[in-house]
Amino acid sequence: MKRHILRLLPPAGSMVLFLVAWHLAVRWFSVPSYLVPSPGDVLVASWDARSDLVPATLATLAGAATGFALSLVAGTLGAILFSQARWIRDSLYPWAIFLQTVPIVAIAPLIVLWSGPGFASIVLVSFLLSVFPILSNGVEGMSRIDPSLLELFRLCRAARWQELLLLRLPHSVPFLVAGARVSAGLTVIGAIVGEFFAGYGASRPGLGYLVQMSAAQMKTELLFASVGASTFLGLLVFLAVGATSSLLLARLQTPPSHH
Amino acid sequence: METQSQQLVAVIEGLSHSFPDGTGTISKMDLDLLPGEFVSLVGPSGCGKSTLLRLVAGLLEPTSGAIRRDPARGVGFVFQSPVLLPWRTVADNVALPGEISGEKRADRRRRVEELLELVGLKDQARRYPSQLSGGMRMRVSIARALSGRPGLLLMDEPFAALDDLTRSRLQEDLLSLRAQEGFTTLFVTHNVPEAVYLSDRVLCLSSRPARALSQVRIPEPTERDPEWRTDPRAALLAREISRALGGRGP
Ligand SMILES: Nc1ncnc2c1ncn2[C@@H]1O[C@H](COP(=O)(O)OP(=O)(O)OP(=O)(O)O)[C@@H](O)[C@H]1O
Ligand SMILES: [Mg+2]
């Protein structure tokens, strides 16, 4: 516990220093608050806008969480599919790489065009942005297996499904988890980008929509507050997935008696 | 003739093998394995010993010649490294082959218990491979190979990575396992004294592609004990094997 607190000290310290420097710089140079509000102004604006910010954060979280769940399922299923035959992998992997390289901002309007503004589009953008790390890590985990282990299964005359269930799938769990950690961060970004394009159609406006509106209306404090909430949300999701994955790995890899 | 070959555990006849890229590994090999026999293969590194084991196991196909195995007897394979599943306990690793072949759960559990007792790992059943020493892991690997009661055990330098003390212990344990389970063993090693200690026959192989250079019989003593390690006759046999391999003797 003490070690945990000690490890939290440096980031917390740098954070406080940064806020103080920000506050002093705004005062010192008398920056107008429509350009850079002071941290205090942002805090006040956040409090005033809490009835907008909290539901917006929850709405974005819902989009991101749904996108993440989809990525987990589709990424794992895709990795299983790819591991089944070389020709499947060769013919489909380029499409997966296309997903990775195409700028999401460029195809987001297309997605909105096809599936309409609203939750579905937001989830889709979030999914498209976050599925690749899980898929590619999963493919690696299913295929980068000690050849002797594969020979062992062949010697036991294991059926293909047995090889999948008893060897490839458990072997790829740490890989999938590592992919999920990366994907967790992307999923929030994806939801916010999705809201930029499709947020106006959602029943509840999310953070992306709030960022867009406050920027258009020159409400800089609210803009800062929304950006702050987005960052906070991203951090929260990242930490939650990180903690869950550590727990999962601890259970699967190292024995329970160890701790 | 027919009846005799039926008694053999495996018959290798005029076996040759080369990889698709043209690397010749085995050249016109003949070898009969009698029930209960312990045969060692020694030869220079890269000559094709592992390839020969894979051929016998059926993991590779001969280029020419034939390998006939008694179909009633299964094969167990012990790799150079333990090759365990890190997410499974010791007991579950040993149970894996039975699980794959669909053996009944109760039978499986009984067999695992019996094997862990035999290899001296009864207390470690619920631990994970990462919690074991190198020697213990190799014992798990051997127990797993024996789980299907194979008639033929193929071992590819199983003790090469172990320290001398552990290696000697495992050699002795392997001999007592063989006495209890009665399997035939085809054993690859680089270690001539090890071959002399364990084997009934030692087959000396040439460099790649592997050919049988000579065969050294080690008829005595029938019961091996640690004294045989330092017996002058063992030293003479070791020298004979080293000579056959082209060395000056140990
Ligand atoms: N898949 C492969 N394709 C082509 N050549 C191979 C392949 N696998 C092994 N070889 C070659 O075949 C030869 C025999 O390999 P093998 O592993 O059987 O040797 P070995 O006698 O077991 O050697 P060591 O004592 O070092 O384990 C080596 O020269 C190796 O480079
Ligand atoms: Mg080898």
Side-chain angles (χ1 to χ4, degrees), chain B:
Chain B
M1 191 66 219
E2 187 60 50
T3 51
Q4 196 197 352
S5 79
Q6 268 176 2
Q7 280 169 5
L8 295 172
V9 176
V11 180
I12 297 172
E13 265 176 354
L15 175 72
S16 297
H17 174 267
S18 43
F19 281 107
D21 66 358
T23 313
T25 50
I26 314 283
S27 165
K28 300 208 182 74
M29 180 89 68
D30 293 300
L31 179 65
D32 292 350
L33 294 175
L34 304 166
E37 209 183 11
F38 197 117
V39 177
S40 285
L41 301 169
V42 294
S45 180
C47 75
K49 303 180 294 292
S50 299
T51 307
L52 181 58
L53 283 196
R54 287 194 163 78
L55 283 159
V56 175
L59 289 166
L60 290 171
E61 288 296 316
T63 310
S64 65
I67 300 168
R68 275 178 284 130
R69 276 202 334 247
D70 181 350
R73 306 174 209 245
V75 192
F77 203 110
V78 179
F79 299 87
Q80 181 166 349
S81 58
V83 217
L84 303 174
L85 301 179
W87 57 86
R88 281 181 168 240
T89 60
V90 165
D92 288 346
N93 264 289
V94 177
L96 180 76
E99 213 174 308
I100 292 174
S101 68
E103 200 184 350
K104 278 208 215 82
R105 185 180 287 265
D107 295 347
R108 212 192 302 153
R109 188 175 311 150
R110 204 169 317 122
R111 178 64 174 158
V112 168
E113 253 168 45
E114 179 184 19
L115 281 167
L116 289 180
E117 175 90 62
L118 278 176
V119 298
L121 287 179
K122 218 177 161 198
D123 306 334
Q124 316 289 332
R126 309 194 60 153
R127 300 180 86 190
Y128 287 78
S130 59
Q131 294 176 300
L132 303 182
S133 70
M136 288 169 161
R137 283 183 210 158
M138 193 40 85
R139 287 169 197 272
V140 178
S141 188
I142 293 171
R144 180 182 61 193
L146 294 176
S147 70
R149 299 175 203 280
L152 177 60
L153 185 64
L154 305 171
M155 304 181 91
D156 192 355
E157 304 190 47
F159 308 147
L162 305 175
D163 62 274
D164 279 353
L165 227 62
T166 314
R167 173 188 276 250
S168 305
R169 285 285 312 278
L170 276 158
Q171 288 168 353
E172 278 144 34
D173 292 349
L174 178 59
L175 288 180
S176 67
L177 275 173
R178 176 173 77 128
Q180 293 181 59
E181 298 260 316
F183 47 82
T184 302
T185 316
L186 188 57
F187 187 94
V188 169
T189 180
H190 273 123
N191 187 319
V192 175
E194 176 171 74
V196 173
Y197 182 61
L198 294 171
S199 317
D200 301 315
R201 268 195 290 160
V202 178
L203 202 62
C204 305
L205 302 178
S206 69
S207 57
R208 195 171 62 79
R211 252 171 327 105
L213 289 174
S214 70
Q215 194 180 130
V216 177
R217 282 189 178 279
I218 306 174
E220 292 173 301
T222 39
E223 292 286 315
R224 301 289 158 87
D225 55 39
E227 276 184 18
W228 174 240
R229 289 185 196 280
T230 47
D231 195 298
R233 286 172 297 166
L236 281 174
L237 286 162
R239 191 179 305 167
E240 190 184 335
I241 292 165
S242 298
R243 284 236 178 83
L245 291 171
R248 283 283 136 81

Side-chain angles (χ1 to χ4, degrees), chain A residues 4-60:
Chain A
H4 266 80
I5 294 171
L6 280 181
R7 272 189 54 199
L8 276 177
L9 219 57
S14 77
M15 192 79 161
V16 169
L17 266 179
F18 172 72
L19 289 176
V20 170
W22 174 5
H23 179 81
L24 289 179
V26 169
R27 278 293 143 82
W28 208 280
F29 301 109
S30 353
V31 185
S33 75
Y34 64 85
L35 277 183
V36 183
S38 77
D41 295 340
V42 172
L43 216 61
V44 171
S46 301
W47 181 251
D48 290 343
R50 64 187 183 280
S51 58
D52 286 334
L53 274 178
V54 172
T57 307
L58 290 178
T60 305

